Amino acid sequence: MTEEVALVFSVSRNQAFLLVETSCALVSRLPNTLAALENGDIDLFKASKVSQLTREVSDEVAAQVDAWMATRLAGRAPTAIRRSVDHAVQKFDPDGYRDRAESKRALRHVALEHEDETMSKLSGWLPAEVASSIYASLSHAAKKRRRTDQSRTLDQHRSDIFAERLLAEDGHGTPRAHVHVYVDLLTLTGAREDPADLAGYGPIPGWLVREIAADPGSTWSRLITDPATGQLLEASPGTYRSPASLARLIKARDRECTHPGCHRPAEFSDIDHITTWARHGTTDHHNCHAACTIHNLLKEEPGWTATPTSNGGMTITTPTGHTYTATPEPLHDPRTQPDDDTPPF
């Protein structure tokens, strides 16, 4: 159900999961919270704070928390509601809370979330005392640096130190980065200002591409496109000597997982058949694509099918019979008269 809701509402699978989870919880075991939502005392976002923090407790504990929260919902901010629910869960289920805390501490991880206008959010899911210590350390270093450098705000110093610490090799040295950027040669030279594409993020402006390209550590690959469609025909390795492999071509063409709504970069995805090998699918650029592990396995689930289309695209059919077609975005707009992109040397 989650995957199909994601496709219907054009949201990520995580957003779809939260919609389904919140709806089911409100109807099945949070009657007071549902009543507050129906009366307009809270909105769906505030209601989700109750459902999310009670998702792992028993029905009995959920009922106790729901009853305790009945008079603590109206007129309160989402953060205040979340803290009250957390308090109630600890109050009514102390042993279960301790067990769940131990399990969640084992699930620590780092997540990347892309935002607008060249920015992204890098966050860590960490034990509270570790996260607090890291933030305190960053703040201490930022305040110290701020005393001698007033050109940046405290927040800017804090974020810069955060990046320096994470990117430095072995805790010290010059930060290095590895990202995939797809850019038209004319934009790269400054003759045109078409947006380029940062894998996993999306469009970025020409000025930022040229800053990245000016880094002496940048490496280059030649991409040959069809001027009439903007779709990729060939992708070379970092040198101009050998022809592109199939996997390199597909990663450069797709740039992201090809499942609608998924933006995992192709370099971190699987290269696999759309029509599976067991069903006599061919191994070529028409029938192979980049897909994250979750969506690569999804087409094998009962009721789900995928068939290749032109230009490296595919059509997905869901268990309810709905179809969704995805085609890789062209690297540039179609050109009736191809520009001379040959470098002047």
Side-chain angles (χ1 to χ4, degrees), residues 6-27:
L7 291 171
V8 170
F9 288 101
S10 298
V11 297
S12 70
R13 65 190 307 272
N14 288 338
Q15 289 174 299
F17 174 80
L18 289 176
L19 285 172
V20 173
E21 178 190 56
T22 301
S23 300
C24 292
L26 290 173
V27 172

Side-chain angles (χ1 to χ4, degrees), residues 271-343:
I271 304 299
D272 206 348
H273 300 79
I274 298 174
T275 300
T276 62
W277 181 261
R279 295 172 182 167
H280 309 292
T282 56
T283 304
D284 54 35
H285 68 282
H286 295 294
N287 188 50
C288 290
H289 69 142
C292 71
T293 301
I294 291 173
H295 291 127
N296 192 31
L297 295 175
L298 181 63
K299 63 178 181 286
E300 298 297 322
E301 292 294 319
W304 289 83
T305 61
T307 55
T309 62
S310 60
N311 293 326
M314 68 174 178
T315 296
I316 299 169
T317 303
T318 71
T320 60
H322 291 83
T323 60
Y324 301 86
T325 298
T327 302
E329 289 291 330
L331 292 180
H332 59 74
D333 291 333
R335 298 168 182 163
T336 55
Q337 294 183 343
D339 297 296
D340 183 9
D341 286 356
T342 305

Side-chain angles (χ1 to χ4, degrees), residues 22 51 53 58 65 91 111 114 122 138 140 159 171 195 226-227 230 250 297-298 337:
T22 301
S51 66
L53 271 70
S58 66
V65 173
K91 173 183 176 68
H114 293 305
L122 180 66
L138 290 172
H140 176 75
S159 63
D226 181 346
I250 292 169
L297 295 175
L298 181 63
Q337 294 183 343

Side-chain angles (χ1 to χ4, degrees), residues 239-263:
T239 68
Y240 289 93
R241 292 191 293 271
S242 62
S245 69
L246 179 61
R248 186 183 301 116
L249 171 66
I250 292 169
K251 287 182 179 181
R253 179 198 67 196
D254 294 348
R255 305 193 293 285
E256 297 177 342
C257 171
T258 52
H259 189 89
C262 184
H263 302 289

